[in-house]
Amino acid sequence: MALLSKKDTSLILDPLSDNNPITIQVLGICSALAITAELKASIVMSISVLFVMGMGNVVISLMRNIIPSKIRIIVQLVVVATLVIIVDQVLKAFAYELSKTLSVFVGLIITNCIIMGRFEAFALANGTWRSFLDGIGNAAGYGVILIIIGFFRELLGSGTLLGYKVLGDPIAKTGLYAIGYENNGFMLLSPMALIVVGLIIWVQRSRNKDLIEEN
Amino acid sequence: MLEHIELFFRSIFIDNMVFATFLGMCSYLAVSKRVATAVGLGAAVIFVLAVTVPLNWLLDQYLLRDGALAWLGPEYADYNLGFLSFILFIATIATMVQLVEIVVEKFSPALYNSLGIFLPLIAVNCAILGGSLFMQSRDIQTLGLAFNYGLSSGIGWFLAILAIAAIREKIRYSNVPAPLRGLGITFIITGLMAIGFMSFGGMLTGGDEAPQEEVNTTAQKEKELKVTEEVKENTVSFNNLINNNN
């Protein structure tokens, strides 16, 4: 079983926790926050980024020896834009409602800093298989945070998960609502996404003291 | 004129790039440690947005949208190249940024020294592409409005990064819990600022409703007429019923 050496495994696992693209590297926040009011949208967004990043890293690392370094940014942008167009068209064909919810944020995967950042930092200097693993790992780290935010915002904001009423019916007063629980509509508004990310960072850095910044 | 003023204030305060749609967050968080650099990046963003949004508006209007190619001849009227917009917009932005960099370096070395380092960063700033994509999805009508939209969104972004940089310079002297220092507290402050900016939402609600009413007036009046007639008939029959029962 030499499919994944020790270094390869760390490529996938590191971004999930101690080198997370969102909470540690501060990349890709732009699209992470706006679409997390529902769990479903966060999951679809994570899958889209996973696809774009895995494929993009492979393409860039295959071309890394023939790209002139002066125009590499434009080449990278074209590669990402092509992949994102594929994702956008697939979403429009198979999940039209969802692609309306995500609106311009699918297009904004192009300028998602994680993708450009990993192209620059990894795919331009490493082999294809490694780059693929790196892409998958970072996209998964991004997805984990997105899904955590989406989970809490949908659960606390509208009392549902993936559209299922897990806390009971707020109008018929069943489940938790029977004892006076109320949805916190504030969680659905955009500022709360920022505060939830802040809290995730707080929890993560309390658990791992090495990550604490100087000031 | 009124719509220009409305769009201007709406893009700065209500639909603020950072606080309402989270665009350009990466550079917003990374470059906001000092006020001086924040001002430089903010100015560059205003400039590039004000140039690229009108350009992409022209592209969208005459090349991309459904039936946009009609000016080439009637046989082209059926084409819809909308799916190409991502790749064309980002290419325009990357080229413009490069061009602006060369021009500024040539004609204004002082400006280049203050903006120069930030210009390449801007090509991948989500606020720039986001500006063009929102311009497309909000269906902005004229070139002037598109320029206005780019300029005012840029100013909104500038205000946001200026404010957070000033706060971060001061917060260095505060006793923040260790795990929250740096990134964590910045997120939470941004969240609180976003809540503050939400209160600007009340600013334009009056103006919002007026144009819609004007559009619907004739149709609405007809409907209202019908409804009142029906109500009259109903009341008449209801009265008859009551009288009969009596």
Side-chain angles (χ1 to χ4, degrees), chain A residues 22-24 26-31 33-34 70 73-74 77-78 81-82 84-85 88-89 103-108 110-113 116 153 186 189-195 197-199 201-202 205-206 209 212-215, chain B residues 18-27 29-30 33 82-87 90-91 94-95 98 120 123-127 129-130 133-134 137 168 172 177-185 187-188 190-192 194-195 198:
Chain A
I22 291 186
T23 58
I24 311 295
V26 208
L27 296 174
I29 295 153
C30 330
S31 53
L33 301 174
K70 276 193 176 167
I73 302 265
I74 297 207
L77 284 175
V78 171
T82 319
V84 169
I85 289 174
D88 187 44
Q89 297 292 316
S103 71
V104 302
F105 291 95
V106 177
L108 287 172
I110 299 173
T111 46
N112 193 320
C113 337
M116 298 297 287
R153 282 182 74 188
F186 208 55
L189 299 174
S190 44
M192 284 312 287
L194 287 162
I195 293 177
V197 176
L199 296 177
I201 293 176
W202 193 356
R205 295 191 182 181
S206 312
K209 302 280 184 209
I212 292 173
E213 288 174 49
E214 300 260 313
N215 63 54
Chain B
V18 174
F19 297 129
T21 46
F22 304 119
L23 295 181
M25 283 301 282
C26 311
S27 27
L29 291 168
K33 286 199 176 115
F83 66 95
L84 283 178
S85 44
F86 294 157
I87 210 163
I90 196 72
T95 332
Q98 204 88 55
V124 287
N125 187 330
C126 347
L129 183 64
L133 290 177
F134 272 125
S137 71
R168 282 182 84 172
R172 209 167 291 158
L180 264 182
R181 270 180 214 154
L183 194 59
I185 195 73
F187 267 110
I188 290 178
T190 311
L192 296 176
I195 295 172
M198 277 169 58

Side-chain angles (χ1 to χ4, degrees), chain A residues 134-157:
Chain A
D134 182 74
I136 297 288
N138 276 287
Y142 169 88
V144 164
I145 300 289
L146 234 67
I147 289 169
I148 293 176
I149 306 172
F151 178 82
F152 283 112
R153 282 182 74 188
E154 191 176 344
L155 185 67
L156 300 178

Side-chain angles (χ1 to χ4, degrees), chain B residues 41-104:
Chain B
L41 183 68
V45 166
I46 295 183
F47 189 67
V48 175
L49 261 177
V51 174
T52 55
V53 172
L55 265 180
N56 282 335
W57 184 85
L58 288 174
L59 272 181
D60 182 46
Q61 209 72 12
Y62 294 108
L63 204 60
L64 293 171
R65 64 172 49 206
D66 202 4
L69 287 174
W71 57 274
L72 275 177
E75 68 269 32
Y76 294 101
D78 292 339
Y79 287 91
N80 180 1
L81 297 180
F83 66 95
L84 283 178
S85 44
F86 294 157
I87 210 163
L88 267 181
F89 284 178
I90 196 72
T92 318
I93 289 167
T95 332
M96 271 317 298
V97 169
Q98 204 88 55
L99 209 68
V100 165
E101 199 181 346
I102 296 168
V103 171
V104 171

